[in-house]
Amino acid sequence: MKVDVLLGLQWGDEGKGKVVDVLTPRYDVVARFQGGPNAGHTLEFEGKKYVLRSIPSGIFQHGQINIIGNGVVLDPVLFQEEAEALERSGIDLRKVLKISKKVHLILPTHRLLDAANEKAKGGAKIGTTGKGIGPTYTDKISRNGLRLGDTLHNFETKYSAARDRHVAMLQSMGETPEFNELEARWLKAIEYIKTFDIIDSEHYINRALKEGKSVLCEGAQGTLLDIDFGSYPFVTSSNTITAGACSGLGVAPNKIGEVFGIFKAYCTRVGSGPFPTELFDETGKKIRDIGHEYGAVTGRERRCGWIDLVALRYAIMINGVTQLIMMKSDVLDSFDSIKACVAYKVSGEEITDFPYSIEEECIEPVYVTLPGWKTDMTRMKTEEEFPAQFSEYIKFLEEQLQTPITIVSIGPDREQTIIRKK
Ligand code: GDP
Ligand code: IMO
Ligand code: MG
């Protein structure tokens, strides 16, 4: 059996949570492979809305095993909050959730370091989610991290050493860290996590594949936030791309099957960093208002702009996307016309390969304008109902991106999803 991967092709918040939930009935196992509580994955069904941060979005369907893989960084306090909320809503979490022994732990001092690093950068700050993601992955790569498996043996000593090292770093940055209360909660949350099934998830997943079970990997963030291929340094600290599923779960590259690449019919970004097609006018505001483009984790306003096909082609290439999923086209339902960036003009020359730098001052987007469909599509059930202009828009995107769009999402609810015939 192969492993399918679903991941974001833009700057995150494409709607990954919603689609993972919709696709989960096709799978036996759903697994997160990177990121941490910087993610906010929203699901809506039966009139209720849920936001998941570290727990995979397969958790609301019935019976699938959900795994938090080794590539994830986990904050015990936030995990406990998320898990207890799910338990209150009636989910028997201990039956369906397993956590890798190799996940790295986000310490209270990692969060303080995240804030101190941002403060030190001043105007050049990344605009992180403040969840300690960068410092935790830094410790992982510099071989100083603490893993969940470490809690099973002689943990107090290992924890104190890491904490004291962080305190010295914070003091050298001029900070006077205070975290007694948070530390007490954190240590309690460690005991809570230990009541879950903590496993060697690489063995579990590979065994499941051998037994003929199907696995869906759920990405967090998006390709343009990838540590290697995103708009560095305004990125997150993990590999958000398909390759990240291999290293973040222990799945070999030749086991990857379908790669679902998910994108919005326009584009958004939260935090700092370049965004060539960003709109600063009424249209940008209209997209934000209709699309409710405010961060699921931080509540921050998301920056909005037109779809960027140069960046999307790049993301499709890096990830080996086999199927595209288009989200939130309903947000454009009332627009007279829609723009799509098909190339960049750099020093007077048109380019279509995503360049090393996308700083706004050196890039001018080249747009194609397409007619809007001016139809409320939110109650449609099949692609036969699509207005002609919308079908044309899809055809245009498929030609530009050389990849089929197999799913179209026309609203936040589970039901507002149209699976296209191949
Ligand atoms: P994720 O991080 O990729 O899972 O995406 P988020 O949950 O952060 O952001 C996507 C937002 O769009 C959420 O509020 C979803 O409820 C909402 N959403 C998802 N799909 C659609 C859609 O097709 N139309 C509309 N209008 N909203 C959607
Ligand atoms: P989901 O999974 C959108 C952004 C932050 C910041 C940068 C680095 O919900 O799509 P970090 O806290 O990771 O060090 O912040 O990355 N960012 C996201 N933006 N969606 C996300 O996750 C994000 N996770 C991080 O805003 O610009
Ligand atoms: Mg999100």
Side-chain angles (χ1 to χ4, degrees):
M1 283 300 278
K2 297 268 186 185
V3 168
D4 293 346
V5 183
L6 182 146
L7 40 72
L9 300 181
Q10 296 162 322
W11 277 290
D13 303 327
E14 295 90 350
K16 298 174 289 291
K18 169 185 162 161
V19 178
V20 168
D21 172 62
V22 168
L23 293 181
T24 292
R26 301 184 189 174
Y27 295 91
D28 299 302
V29 176
V30 180
R32 271 279 301 270
F33 57 90
Q34 46 69 232
N38 48 349
H41 295 180
T42 316
L43 288 78
E44 283 191 41
F45 55 91
E46 292 160 12
K48 289 207 187 90
K49 180 169 161 171
Y50 303 88
V51 179
L52 296 168
R53 297 168 132 188
S54 301
I55 294 175
S57 303
I59 207 77
F60 291 100
Q61 298 285 358
H62 301 289
Q64 281 80 4
I65 294 297
N66 286 258
I67 295 179
I68 301 179
N70 57 276
V72 171
V73 290
L74 198 63
D75 181 323
V77 175
L78 295 178
F79 170 80
Q80 182 170 2
E81 279 174 16
E82 188 177 335
E84 284 179 344
L86 290 173
E87 284 178 317
R88 277 195 300 276
S89 69
I91 293 172
D92 190 355
L93 215 50
R94 279 174 187 72
K95 247 191 180 159
V96 289
L97 181 68
K98 298 180 188 296
I99 313 175
S100 166
K101 274 181 201 162
K102 295 190 173 77
V103 298
H104 276 252
L105 294 171
I106 303 176
L107 274 53
T109 39
H110 280 133
R111 278 212 232 176
L112 300 180
L113 281 165
D114 195 354
N117 288 340
E118 284 283 87
K119 195 167 126 193
K121 278 180 181 275
K125 72 172 184 185
I126 292 162
T128 72
T129 58
K131 298 288 178 280
I133 305 298
T136 307
Y137 278 116
T138 300
D139 272 355
K140 172 177 177 174
I141 300 302
S142 67
R143 297 155 295 181
N144 286 304
L146 277 188
R147 301 188 291 179
L148 186 53
D150 291 326
T151 61
L152 307 174
H153 185 65
N154 200 18
F155 182 60
E156 292 280 326
T157 316
K158 294 177 215 165
Y159 167 71
S160 312
R163 177 201 57 200
D164 294 347
R165 201 172 55 80
H166 292 162
V167 168
M169 285 163 74
L170 285 159
Q171 284 167 341
S172 75
M173 296 173 85
E175 303 287 330
T176 38
E178 275 174 39
F179 54 93
N180 285 351
E181 209 176 298
L182 186 55
E183 181 176 67
R185 274 177 65 205
W186 191 88
L187 289 168
K188 265 197 191 150
I190 288 284
E191 294 309 312
Y192 175 79
I193 295 198
K194 281 161 76 176
T195 63
F196 282 80
D197 199 8
I198 300 174
I199 62 164
D200 293 302
S201 58
E202 64 277 28
H203 286 299
Y204 184 93
I205 289 176
N206 282 288
R207 199 171 298 126
L209 290 173
K210 246 191 188 151
E211 288 166 2
K213 296 205 169 105
S214 52
V215 179
L216 176 65
C217 307
E218 172 179 3
Q221 290 79 55
T223 303
L224 303 179
L225 288 170
D226 179 81
I227 184 75
D228 281 280
F229 298 103
S231 46
Y232 192 87
F234 300 100
V235 293
T236 191
S237 297
S238 64
N239 277 123
T240 60
I241 55 174
T242 305
C246 296
S247 58
L249 290 170
V251 168
N254 64 355
K255 295 272 174 19
I256 302 292
E258 294 295 319
V259 179
F260 298 103
I262 178 165
F263 67 98
K264 284 178 193 173
Y266 47 94
C267 195
T268 63
R269 164 159 215 177
V270 59
S272 332
F275 180 178
T277 60
E278 183 167 10
L279 290 166
F280 300 96
D281 58 5
E282 281 304 306
T283 309
K285 194 173 168 302
K286 191 172 163 188
I287 293 176
R288 184 176 312 114
D289 288 347
I290 302 177
H292 304 293
E293 293 297 354
Y294 298 90
V297 172
T298 55
R300 288 181 292 180
E301 244 181 33
R302 292 179 185 149
R303 300 154 62 192
C304 298
W306 293 120
I307 195 166
D308 182 343
L309 301 178
V310 180
L312 272 182
R313 281 186 219 114
Y314 183 70
I316 290 168
M317 174 183 83
I318 296 291
N319 290 302
V321 171
T322 59
Q323 299 187 37
L324 289 166
I325 303 177
M326 181 165 76
M327 309 299 290
K328 301 192 88 160
S329 58
D330 54 291
V331 172
L332 306 179
D333 277 357
S334 63
F335 282 49
D336 292 323
S337 60
I338 288 152
K339 286 190 185 179
C341 166
V342 291
Y344 294 156
K345 215 176 225 178
V346 185
S347 317
E349 201 188 323
E350 264 190 35
I351 59 161
T352 48
D353 277 355
F354 193 71
Y356 175 76
S357 168
I358 55 160
E359 288 299 331
E360 282 89 346
E361 55 267 31
C362 53
I363 291 213
E364 193 192 321
V366 178
Y367 289 111
V368 164
T369 304
L370 298 129
W373 43 92
K374 306 276 283 172
T375 311
D376 176 359
M377 291 183 57
T378 55
R379 271 177 288 277
M380 292 186 179
K381 296 283 172 212
T382 65
E383 61 179 312
E384 281 73 33
E385 296 166 72
F386 288 173
Q389 293 88 338
F390 186 74
S391 299
E392 280 301 314
Y393 182 58
I394 289 192
K395 206 168 132 213
F396 167 79
L397 292 178
E398 288 186 327
E399 274 168 17
Q400 285 280 328
L401 301 171
Q402 290 291 300
T403 315
I405 298 175
T406 56
I407 301 177
V408 174
S409 172
I410 47 169
D413 195 273
R414 216 184 236 175
E415 301 294 325
Q416 292 170 298
T417 315
I418 297 181
I419 315 277
R420 295 183 71 211
K421 294 181 197 120
K422 292 226 175 96

